[in-house]
């Protein structure tokens, strides 16, 4: 289980190696993504709080990167943080997420990105629930929910 100390270590000393890399020219990303997805994932934007379609989604499934379809988070570790963005306590795998220090807007935070394609996802904070104490605050537009199939 990742802790805040691990996150700071990754942001300072380097991130875990991803399973694969996906790199595309900006024009390809623009053609693939909606304008809002492009603004958030490729230009490090954010959506308004409580505006994302995945804020109130709690169906069983997996949250994947909207850009490269890499699995990022599982629905079992999603929680309602009250912040207005989907929140998770851990990534699906240690090497799914890339961490970088973010000093924009006059504050210091840790930006989280897809480790496969460098898509901006959101930020991680040390104010989440136990046992990890982490809150991954993620833009809905940066993910797709692959719902689990229910057998009848």
């Amino acid at each position: 289980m990742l802790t805040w100390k691990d996150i700071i270590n990754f942001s300072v000393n380097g991130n875990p190696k991803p399973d694969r890399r996906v790199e595309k020219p900006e024009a390809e990303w623009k053609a693939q993504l909606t304008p809002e997805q492009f603004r958030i994932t490729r230009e490090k934007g954010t959506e308004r709080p409580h505006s994302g379609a995945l804020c109130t989604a709690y169906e069983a499934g997996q949250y994947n990167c909207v850009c490269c379809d890499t699995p990022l988070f599982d629905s079992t570790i999603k929680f309602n943080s009250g912040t207005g963005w989907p929140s998770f306590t851990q990534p699906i795998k240690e090497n799914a997420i890339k961490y970088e220090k973010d000093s924009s807007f006059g504050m210091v935070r840790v930006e989280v990105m897809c480790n496969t394609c460098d898509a901006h996802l959101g930020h991680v904070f040390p104010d989440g629930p136990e046992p990890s104490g982490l809150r991954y605050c993620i833009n809905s537009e940066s993910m797709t929910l692959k719902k689990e199939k229910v057998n009848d």
Side-chain angles (χ1 to χ4, degrees):
M1 175 183 313
L2 291 174
T3 65
W4 184 244
K5 184 177 177 181
D6 297 320
I7 303 306
I8 296 303
N9 184 48
F10 287 143
S11 70
V12 172
N13 298 317
N15 289 286
K17 184 177 173 22
D19 293 338
R20 64 187 177 104
R21 287 287 301 156
V22 173
E23 296 179 18
K24 296 180 182 182
E26 184 174 318
E28 259 186 76
W29 289 124
K30 274 190 173 175
Q32 173 187 330
L33 302 167
T34 68
E36 185 70 348
Q37 288 170 336
F38 183 84
R39 183 183 73 78
I40 289 170
T41 62
R42 309 320 303 177
E43 296 177 334
K44 300 184 185 283
T46 192
E47 60 201 19
R48 288 184 336 274
H50 306 285
S51 67
L54 299 177
C55 283
T56 56
Y58 288 96
E59 297 91 349
Q62 183 174 278
Y63 292 85
N64 291 1
C65 177
V66 72
C67 295
C68 67
D69 204 38
T70 295
L72 301 171
F73 302 99
D74 186 85
S75 62
T76 60
I77 46 85
K78 185 176 186 202
F79 70 99
N80 184 354
S81 66
T83 61
W85 289 275
S87 297
F88 304 88
T89 58
Q90 290 284 302
I92 205 162
K93 283 178 71 176
E94 182 175 291
N95 69 345
I97 303 293
K98 179 178 181 177
Y99 305 90
E100 285 188 4
K101 181 180 174 182
D102 176 3
S103 300
S104 63
F105 302 108
M107 58 184 124
V108 178
R109 303 177 289 176
V110 176
E111 177 187 4
V112 290
M113 294 164 285
C114 173
N115 205 15
T116 301
C117 72
D118 298 333
H120 171 74
L121 304 172
H123 292 85
V124 62
F125 302 95
D127 60 2
E130 294 299 330
S132 74
L134 298 176
R135 174 175 55 94
Y136 287 80
C137 191
I138 309 297
N139 290 289
S140 286
E141 291 287 338
S142 65
M143 301 180 295
T144 58
L145 173 57
K146 306 285 184 179
K147 295 179 185 175
E148 282 184 12
K149 292 190 169 97
V150 178
N151 295 331
D152 291 328

